[in-house]
């Protein structure tokens, strides 16, 4: 599949070498993307909070080759050390995007990357990493085609990031990003993420996300394998319809600031994602005993205090604790005194909603 709107004509003769850098954040989905079609197209719509603290910083240096390479010429360094095991993923990414960036074969690329969160934290760096790399590549395209409008730049960056890792297309902008064409969200598309275009109640401004690192190991189920489990899943169709309906519902919630409804929707989405994994073939349980301990503690604390604390989960055991800024003091005290004990080595990350990637 070729998407003509992102095929740009460029004259690369004038460019020889240089370097560009971007810092790009991770994101946490409220309505989860789970299931994909060919060309990294989502089988359901999703919406996420862009994060601020969990970020990848990538410097992309480029040097013109004497003659275009047959494959791609690049090296990847994490924290200054060569990472050959990252290279197949980048190679696959370059293959997927080469039609859209015809200069990819003409340069040797040095990709120097580092994460603000520890590599072995169980936090996936694919969203922040792929979006940072997509933005660096777009900055090279921009040098070749300075007339390119900013709107196109960010749209294409999100489009390219999606081809690296689906949810990465939601990491370019902030504070809320929708991915997947939805009748209630104007401008939404399966091809790229769009900034949520409607009114957001003050309750959701600077929302807090304390990430409890329950299991810092490698992912038990890779994203690709996980998404593929939805291909012949008995409940797939119902799940996709539920996600669509939840996106309509969250639009109302975001406008009215109804935290009770927000909590019910977000927690249900997290548990449904895990429910899908528990009911697929093969089946998986990605939560750990401490994940459940934390969830039960959150529920008990909420019942006791009436404070609007809730959780969400990615495809793993770590827990994202979400709460409004106005209640941050008492909720953070609770997290420190009651929840941190369930984290591996007591590790957690204090994050919050952010506004997207930054050029350095
Ligand atoms: O971007 P991927 O292919 O790694 O998929 C991410 C899927 C979830 O994190 C589980 C949900 C989401 O919408 O981010």
């Amino acid at each position: 599949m070729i998407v003509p709107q992102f095929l740009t004509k460029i004259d690369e003769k004038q460019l020889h070498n240089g370097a560009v850098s971007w810092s790009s954040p991770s994101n946490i989905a409220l309505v989860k993307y789970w299931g994909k079609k060919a060309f990294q197209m989502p089988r359901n719509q999703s919406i996420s909070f862009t994060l601020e603290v969990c970020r990848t910083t990538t410097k992309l240096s480029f040097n013109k080759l004497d003659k275009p390479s047959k494959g791609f010429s690049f090296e990847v360094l994490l924290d200054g050390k060569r990472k050959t095991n990252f290279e197949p993923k980048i190679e696959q990414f370059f293959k997927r995007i080469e039609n859209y960036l015809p200069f990819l074969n003409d340069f040797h690329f040095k990709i120097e990357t580092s994460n603000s969160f520890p590599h072995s934290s169980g936090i996936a760096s694919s969203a922040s990493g792929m979006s940072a790399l997509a933005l660096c590549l777009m900055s090279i395209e921009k040098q070749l085609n300075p007339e390119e409008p900013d709107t196109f730049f960010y749209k294409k960056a999100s489009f390219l990031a999606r081809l690296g890792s689906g949810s990465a297309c939601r990491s370019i902008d902030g504070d809320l990003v929708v991915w997947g064409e939805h009748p209630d969200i104007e401008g939404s598309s399966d091809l790229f993420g769009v900034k949520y275009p409607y009114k957001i109640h003050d309750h959701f401004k600077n929302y807090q996300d304390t990430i409890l690192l329950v299991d810092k190991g490698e992912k038990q189920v890779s994203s690709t394998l996980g998404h593929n489990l939805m291909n012949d899943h008995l409940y797939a169709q119902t799940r996709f319809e539920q996600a669509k309906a939840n996106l309509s519902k969250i639009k109302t919630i975001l406008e009215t600031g109804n935290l009770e409804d927000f909590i019910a929707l977000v927690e249900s989405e997290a548990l449904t994602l895990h429910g899908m994994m528990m009911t697929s073939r093969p089946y998986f349980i990605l939560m750990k005993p401490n994940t459940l301990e934390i969830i039960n503690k959150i529920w008990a604390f909420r019942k006791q205090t009436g404070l609007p604390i809730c959780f969400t989960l990615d495809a793993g055991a770590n827990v994202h604790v979400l709460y409004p800024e106005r209640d941050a003091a008492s909720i953070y005290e609770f997290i420190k005194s009651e929840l941190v004990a369930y984290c591996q080595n007591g590790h957690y990350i204090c994050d919050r909603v952010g506004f997207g990637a930054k050029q350095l």
Side-chain angles (χ1 to χ4, degrees):
M1 183 178 101
I2 293 288
V3 181
Q5 75 178 110
F6 295 118
L7 294 170
T8 31
K9 286 218 170 0
I10 43 172
D11 173 16
E12 61 219 57
K13 283 191 198 78
Q14 71 278 35
L15 197 64
H16 293 281
N17 55 56
V20 287
S21 297
W22 279 85
S23 154
S24 194
S26 185
N27 68 73
I28 180 69
L30 304 172
V31 174
K32 310 283 180 185
Y33 148 62
W34 198 239
K36 64 177 166 188
K37 298 182 263 190
F39 305 106
Q40 298 271 103
M41 302 287 256
R43 293 191 67 187
N44 69 266
Q45 302 88 347
S46 58
I47 183 168
S48 50
F49 274 142
T50 304
L51 296 180
E52 176 59 24
V53 175
C54 289
R55 308 182 79 92
T56 297
T57 299
T58 297
K59 177 179 176 192
L60 182 64
S61 313
F62 50 97
N63 272 293
K64 190 97 177 226
L65 298 164
D66 295 336
K67 56 178 186 343
S69 65
K70 277 217 185 75
F72 303 108
S73 174
F74 67 92
E75 60 198 302
V76 188
L77 287 83
L78 175 70
D79 299 327
K81 287 196 196 75
R82 180 90 187 259
K83 277 277 174 187
T84 45
N85 56 333
F86 282 16
E87 286 169 13
K89 186 132 204 218
I90 304 291
E91 175 89 27
Q92 183 192 42
F93 177 49
F94 279 8
K95 266 196 201 119
R96 286 184 187 159
I97 62 175
E98 67 176 321
N99 286 318
Y100 302 101
L101 299 172
F103 60 83
L104 278 183
N105 294 98
D106 299 333
F107 293 91
H108 175 75
F109 295 102
K110 185 174 178 192
I111 305 165
E112 290 172 276
T113 185
S114 63
N115 297 322
S116 65
F117 45 92
H119 180 55
S120 55
S121 61
I123 302 206
S125 57
S126 55
S128 51
M130 285 299 176
S131 54
L133 182 54
L135 283 156
C136 287
L137 291 166
M138 281 308 293
S139 284
I140 300 177
E141 174 170 306
K142 178 96 182 170
Q143 289 186 24
L144 296 165
N145 188 7
E147 304 301 306
E148 211 166 71
D150 277 356
T151 45
F152 178 83
F153 179 96
Y154 288 108
K155 203 186 262 190
K156 183 165 172 182
S158 176
F159 170 81
L160 297 176
R162 176 183 60 85
L163 292 167
S165 169
S167 62
C169 76
R170 297 189 314 237
S171 274
I172 306 287
D173 214 331
D175 42 356
L176 278 154
V177 177
V178 173
W179 173 35
E181 195 180 333
H182 192 287
D184 294 349
I185 312 285
E186 216 184 312
S188 58
S189 168
D190 286 353
L191 296 172
F192 44 79
V194 295
K195 186 178 161 75
Y196 180 74
Y198 305 111
K199 202 173 145 241
I200 300 168
H201 193 279
D202 280 351
H203 286 344
F204 299 110
K205 306 266 165 74
N206 204 25
Y207 222 71
Q208 307 289 299
D209 178 4
T210 305
I211 310 167
L212 304 178
L213 306 177
V214 172
D215 181 16
K216 302 201 267 175
E218 285 279 305
K219 271 195 187 176
Q220 196 184 321
V221 181
S222 77
S223 266
T224 305
L225 197 153
H227 289 291
N228 287 343
L229 293 173
M230 291 304 278
N231 289 345
D232 49 8
H233 195 298
L234 195 58
Y235 308 138
Q237 216 39 53
T238 314
R239 162 60 196 152
F240 301 141
E241 280 159 27
Q242 179 197 37
K244 185 176 179 188
N246 276 347
L247 202 63
S248 300
K249 282 188 197 154
I250 209 169
K251 190 177 161 188
T252 311
I253 293 169
L254 291 170
E255 191 182 339
T256 59
N258 186 329
L259 290 169
E260 214 174 299
D261 288 354
F262 178 79
I263 288 169
L265 187 147
V266 166
E267 290 190 345
S268 161
E269 273 290 321
L271 295 179
T272 303
L273 170 71
H274 282 255
M276 287 297 118
M277 277 178 268
M278 287 190 234
T279 48
S280 47
R281 290 298 170 94
Y283 41 79
F284 297 94
I285 300 180
L286 302 185
M287 288 188 252
K288 297 281 180 207
N290 281 352
T291 312
L292 291 174
E293 293 283 358
I294 290 169
I295 291 174
N296 282 313
K297 286 266 180 185
I298 288 175
W299 284 348
F301 179 76
R302 191 165 75 218
K303 196 163 175 207
Q304 189 197 329
T305 61
L307 290 171
I309 178 176
C310 71
F311 70 87
T312 188
L313 307 164
D314 265 338
N318 295 334
V319 183
H320 289 248
V321 186
L322 302 177
Y323 48 101
E325 188 184 22
R326 60 152 207 223
D327 296 309
S330 28
I331 292 178
Y332 186 52
E333 271 315 306
F334 159 69
I335 292 173
K336 279 193 297 187
S337 62
E338 301 275 337
L339 303 185
V340 167
Y342 298 106
C343 298
Q344 209 177 331
N345 305 324
H347 286 168
Y348 62 99
I349 298 169
C350 292
D351 213 329
R352 59 183 184 278
V353 168
F355 287 88
K358 297 170 194 158
Q359 183 157 24
L360 303 173

